[in-house]
Amino acid sequence: MTQSDKMISRRDGQVGYVIFNNPERHNAVSLEMWATVAEILQDFAKDPEVRVVVLTGAGGKAFVSGADVSKFESERASLDATKVYNATVERANTGVYDFPKPTIAMIRGYCIGGGVGLAACCDLRIAAANSRFAVPAAKLGLGYSFNGLKRLIDIVGPAFAKEIFFTARQFDTEEARIMGFVNRIVPEAELEAYVKSYADTMPNSSPTRS
């Protein structure tokens, strides 16, 4: 499978895994990592043995905590570079959103900014009870893409989407469930086994999307 030191892919039976592997920075995502997501998804899309794809973060403390700001000076130093960066992120997110097989976000710990956007692209979101969710764009003075905003509104509705963006605060897993963002809450120690069992029930009942 395609991978780098910061992105890992593996297959367990009919379940493919896309793993963000930057735990020292709470799985903050660099330009290279976003580009590799698209490559991994292409491999899984072509693999007839893979019927479900799970996206998750390494290290146990975060799903994805947004962009790796330590890379901004090199990756977003100019307007043209920023356009390339934003296009690469959108290509990765669209790749997940339009993926022809079911996708599950397996969330543990922080799911912040781009992590919320990525999870919103998945078909299902299963979270450990200790997870935290936020979109801090307002605090950082950052814009948010139309596609990312629409995907979130489609899941939680306009009222909750406004609360998420206007307050920029962190929500716990139960609040995320009430909003409709999270499908299931699972004790942290049981998360991986639960998601694997959940995914294993899908291959024979969830045909590949056209």
Side-chain angles (χ1 to χ4, degrees), residues 7-180:
M7 292 298 305
I8 299 171
S9 67
R10 64 180 178 87
R11 181 165 64 84
D12 184 355
Q14 292 182 312
V15 182
Y17 290 84
V18 180
I19 303 169
F20 292 79
N21 185 39
N22 191 15
E24 64 275 11
R25 301 193 62 81
H26 287 160
N27 297 322
V29 188
S30 67
L31 178 64
E32 179 186 8
M33 291 169 69
W34 284 122
T36 306
V37 170
E39 296 173 9
I40 292 173
L41 290 173
Q42 288 174 6
D43 289 339
F44 281 148
K46 293 183 293 186
D47 187 343
E49 297 300 316
V50 173
R51 295 297 301 275
V52 182
V53 170
V54 173
L55 290 85
T56 193
K61 294 184 179 180
F63 172 68
V64 167
S65 63
D68 189 345
V69 296
S70 71
K71 301 283 189 179
F72 276 11
E73 187 174 344
S74 59
E75 295 178 349
R76 303 175 72 168
S78 66
L79 179 59
D80 287 343
T82 299
K83 288 180 179 178
V84 169
Y85 181 93
N86 291 340
T88 303
V89 174
E90 182 56 30
R91 185 163 56 251
N93 283 331
T94 300
V96 176
Y97 187 76
D98 291 336
F99 195 69
K101 306 171 187 183
T103 55
I104 301 173
M106 182 170 71
I107 301 167
R108 181 191 286 110
Y110 292 109
C111 180
I112 307 295
V116 170
L118 178 67
C121 293
C122 294
D123 296 307
L124 301 168
R125 288 155 293 281
I126 300 174
N130 70 334
S131 300
R132 305 287 295 182
F133 304 82
V135 180
K139 289 183 178 180
L140 301 175
L142 299 175
Y144 208 79
S145 73
F146 171 81
N147 288 336
L149 182 59
K150 184 178 185 304
R151 290 169 191 143
L152 186 61
I153 291 173
D154 286 345
I155 296 169
V156 305
F160 280 131
K162 288 176 183 178
E163 183 178 359
I164 291 169
F165 278 92
F166 291 173
T167 68
R169 73 176 181 88
Q170 289 190 12
F171 298 85
D172 63 27
T173 312
E174 177 60 17
E175 289 176 296
R177 186 195 66 78
I178 291 170
M179 292 177 178

